Structures are given as C-alpha cells and as structure tokens.
Amino acid sequence: MTGTLHLIPVGLGAAPTETWLPATVREVAGRLHTYIAENAKTARAFLKLVGTVRPLQDITIHTLDNKVNASQMRGWLQPLLEGGEIGLVSEAGCPAVADPGARVVAVAHDMGIRVAPWVGPSSILLALMASGMDGQRFAFHGYAPIDPSDRARQIKAWEQMSKRHEQTQILIETPYRNEAMLETLKQTLQATTRLCVARSLTTPEEWVQAHAVSRWKSMPAPDLARKPAIFLFQAAR
C-alpha cells in the first residue's frame, strides 16, 4: 500500500472555516506535516485557520511554481511510495480544478500513489448551482482574452457554442477587470441570452444574480471592484 496525496480545498474568501469545510477535512488538513502549494504564504494562512497538530514552522511546504518539472514533483511524492500523507492545496477553492495542481495529481497516478479528493468549495460548481443554467452541459474557459476586440470575438464564439450545444459557458476574470468584463458581456451578448454574475461566494459579501442581458442593461451595476467573481451565460434556445 502506498501513502496518500490528499487534495484539500481552501476558502474562496474571508469566512469561518466551519461554514465551508467539513470537520473531517479540517482534521486531515491539520495533521499533515508536508504540503504542496502554489504559494507557501497562502498555504500557511489556510493552515493557521484550520489549526495544526504541529507548529507551522515544522510543516514543510513545497512551492509549485511554473519552473517545477515532473522530476521535482516525483521527488516530493517519493516518500509516499513507502506510506505517509502529503496535502495539495490551491490558492483558492479545489486543487487541480482550473489549477496547476493537476500536474502533481497526474504524476501521483503515474507513480501508483493513492489520490484522495476531499469535499470543499469550488467557485465553478457553486456558481453553476446558483445560476439556474444547464448543469449537465457546461464548459469552463478560464480567462477571456485581455484585448477588448479579441475578448468580444471570443465571447461571441462562446455564445454560438452555447446556442449550438445548449451549453452553459463559464469564465473568470482578474478582480480589477471584473467591471470591464461585465460591460463587455452586456454589450456583446444577445439581449435574450441569460447572464449570471456570482461575487464573493461563501463569504458575507456573497451576491448572485441571473437575468437576461436586456435586463442587466437596465439594472444598476453591481459592486465587483477587486472582488472575486465568476461569470456564466447561456444563449436562448
């Protein structure tokens, strides 16, 4: 039997851990002495919230940046071939979902190491749940192009895909560009296309609205400045 790579979700914003992470997962997270994370500082902040069996300074955190290759990942995971446990965390939400942690998981499978996904918040799924849009056929695209004209063309292409496949389209944006993204969506999408904006999920500032684009144009703009948000739309049939 090998050891286990635990995939542990972290929070989407400032909120008590007991509101978004089950007690069993908090217990697992608190007992691990080795982690793989995009950012050690963020990982330590998460561990401070959940509480740890050993002092934070005694917990090893491997930083998963763009320079890390498969050989280094195998080195981090090598101890699991003889047993033990290692945690994998993302910057926010579920590790390995729209997240570079997927590379570590792939290496773990290649090495024959057990991978254990744990329950926790995913902004993609939470927003889809709250949108009222098709939850059986959907596509997550990550970020749209930064250039305004390229962004508009891509959004139109996704809208055509949505109509052709009756599929919900999901995307995110850097928080300081949220307002520009919403404006582009309002100006680019058809009036009958349904658009959902989900802001600050799982936090006291959570706000979710879904309406036809024509209604969005007549509504006061929501406060999205520098707040995590996710956008969904589905073309009318």
Side-chain angles (χ1 to χ4, degrees), residues 1-56:
M1 292 289 292
T2 69
T4 301
L5 176 65
H6 294 280
L7 312 185
I8 300 176
V10 302
L12 301 176
T17 55
E18 60 268 20
T19 65
W20 50 265
L21 197 66
T24 301
V25 188
R26 299 200 302 272
E27 186 276 326
V28 171
R31 75 174 185 236
L32 301 179
H33 57 76
T34 304
Y35 273 89
I36 300 171
E38 284 185 79
N39 184 300
K41 182 178 179 180
T42 303
R44 289 191 185 95
F46 164 70
L47 293 173
K48 186 176 181 180
L49 279 176
V50 298
T52 56
V53 172
R54 53 181 51 78
L56 284 176

Side-chain angles (χ1 to χ4, degrees), residues 70-83:
S71 177
Q72 289 173 284
M73 295 179 207
R74 285 193 292 271
W76 294 343
L77 298 174
Q78 188 69 28
L80 294 182
L81 294 177
E82 299 178 3

Side-chain angles (χ1 to χ4, degrees), residues 11 16 118 145 176 183 197 211 213 219 237:
W118 288 95
Y176 69 85
E183 189 60 29
V197 180
H211 307 289
V213 168
M219 292 171 54
R237 297 173 182 174

Side-chain angles (χ1 to χ4, degrees), residues 90-113:
S90 174
E91 282 290 273
C94 294
V97 177
D99 174 73
R103 294 189 295 143
V104 178
V105 176
V107 170
H109 283 300
D110 288 344
M111 295 174 68
I113 292 167

